[in-house]
Amino acid sequence: MLYEKHIFICTNQREAGSARKSCGEAHGMELVHAFKKLVKDHNLKTTVRAQRAGCIDVCEWGPTVVVYPEGCFYGNVQLSDVNEIFEQHVLNNKPVERLRIDFSKKPA
Amino acid sequence: MLYEKHIFICTNQREAGSARKSCGEAHGMELVHAFKKLVKDHNLKTTVRAQRAGCIDVCEWGPTVVVYPEGCFYGNVQLSDVNEIFEQHVLNNKPVERLRIDFSKKPA
């Protein structure tokens, strides 16, 4: 495994008027930049990677972030949630349960 | 874990004249389409996801593909390699060693 944590942030932007919600490029890139800054500030570039990704196909719960190798999917992720995901999950290996997508329930 | 296999394919395209090699959008999207077709043909859409991703930061070994949850990184992936990765790794859980990136060695 190259990275201890590999964070993929959806930056998919659908065309206006699309029937399906999208995570959004602008919001997604804000999240990417925020995660990347934390990786850099903690000097973890060789072990943690945060990056943009295309559609993760859980759009209804977006904006979405997935962290591997755990395969932990976060939904409705706001810029204000990034610190908590980073501190708790990336640094301390404890997924943030309040943001975790419960696929057994319908999206809010 | 939502997906049993989550395949990320780099489609990052740097500007012409960039000092660093890039996997390339055109080639990357060809790989994405080929993997997606196999997922669909095998009727595995609920358990396997193949998608585009931004720069995975192993550009020197590109075009690159990473399969999670194993965190298996493949390098120099050609369209002709997609069937083998899919049949062997995705369907039968045996990574394709000949394509696996050996990060202890310099890229070819």
Side-chain angles (χ1 to χ4, degrees):
Chain A
M1 193 94 60
L2 181 62
Y3 303 122
E4 288 173 19
K5 298 285 182 232
H6 201 157
I7 308 158
F8 294 91
I9 299 117
C10 179
T11 59
N12 198 47
Q13 181 70 59
R14 292 208 167 78
E15 283 174 30
S18 169
R20 210 172 170 196
K21 181 182 166 186
S22 68
C23 293
E25 190 172 350
H27 184 83
M29 284 312 297
E30 279 187 349
L31 295 176
V32 172
H33 294 316
F35 274 111
K36 276 185 188 289
K37 188 179 182 314
L38 288 171
V39 172
K40 195 180 169 192
D41 289 352
H42 286 78
N43 200 22
L44 290 173
K45 226 193 142 211
T46 55
T47 54
V48 177
R49 172 90 185 145
Q51 65 164 90
R52 70 190 167 84
C55 177
I56 296 169
D57 208 19
V58 292
C59 317
E60 291 72 14
W61 287 272
T64 50
V65 170
V66 56
V67 182
Y68 277 104
E70 295 85 356
C72 179
F73 286 73
Y74 293 117
N76 191 25
V77 179
Q78 302 303 312
L79 205 53
S80 55
D81 298 319
V82 172
N83 268 316
E84 187 176 350
I85 295 172
F86 195 84
E87 293 284 338
Q88 198 171 312
H89 185 164
V90 176
L91 298 183
N92 291 301
N93 239 354
K94 291 174 190 150
V96 180
E97 296 301 335
R98 72 173 184 88
L99 295 171
R100 223 170 164 162
I101 301 174
D102 181 350
F103 292 107
S104 69
K105 290 180 187 164
K106 283 200 174 180
Chain B
M1 192 95 54
L2 179 62
Y3 303 122
E4 289 173 20
K5 298 285 181 234
H6 201 158
I7 307 158
F8 295 92
I9 299 117
C10 178
T11 59
N12 199 47
Q13 181 72 59
R14 291 207 167 79
E15 283 175 28
S18 169
R20 211 172 168 198
K21 181 182 164 185
S22 68
C23 294
E25 190 172 351
H27 184 83
M29 284 312 296
E30 277 187 351
L31 296 176
V32 171
H33 294 316
F35 275 110
K36 277 187 188 288
K37 188 178 183 313
L38 287 170
V39 171
K40 194 179 171 195
D41 289 352
H42 286 79
N43 199 23
L44 290 172
K45 225 192 144 212
T46 55
T47 55
V48 177
R49 172 86 183 148
Q51 65 164 92
R52 70 189 167 86
C55 179
I56 296 169
D57 208 18
V58 291
C59 318
E60 291 71 13
W61 286 272
T64 50
V65 170
V66 56
V67 181
Y68 277 103
E70 294 86 354
C72 179
F73 287 72
Y74 292 117
N76 190 26
V77 180
Q78 303 304 312
L79 204 54
S80 54
D81 299 319
V82 171
N83 268 315
E84 188 176 349
I85 294 172
F86 194 85
E87 293 283 338
Q88 198 172 311
H89 185 164
V90 176
L91 297 183
N92 290 302
N93 240 354
K94 291 176 192 150
V96 180
E97 296 301 335
R98 71 173 186 89
L99 294 170
R100 223 168 164 164
I101 300 174
D102 181 350
F103 292 107
S104 69
K105 291 182 187 163
K106 285 200 172 179

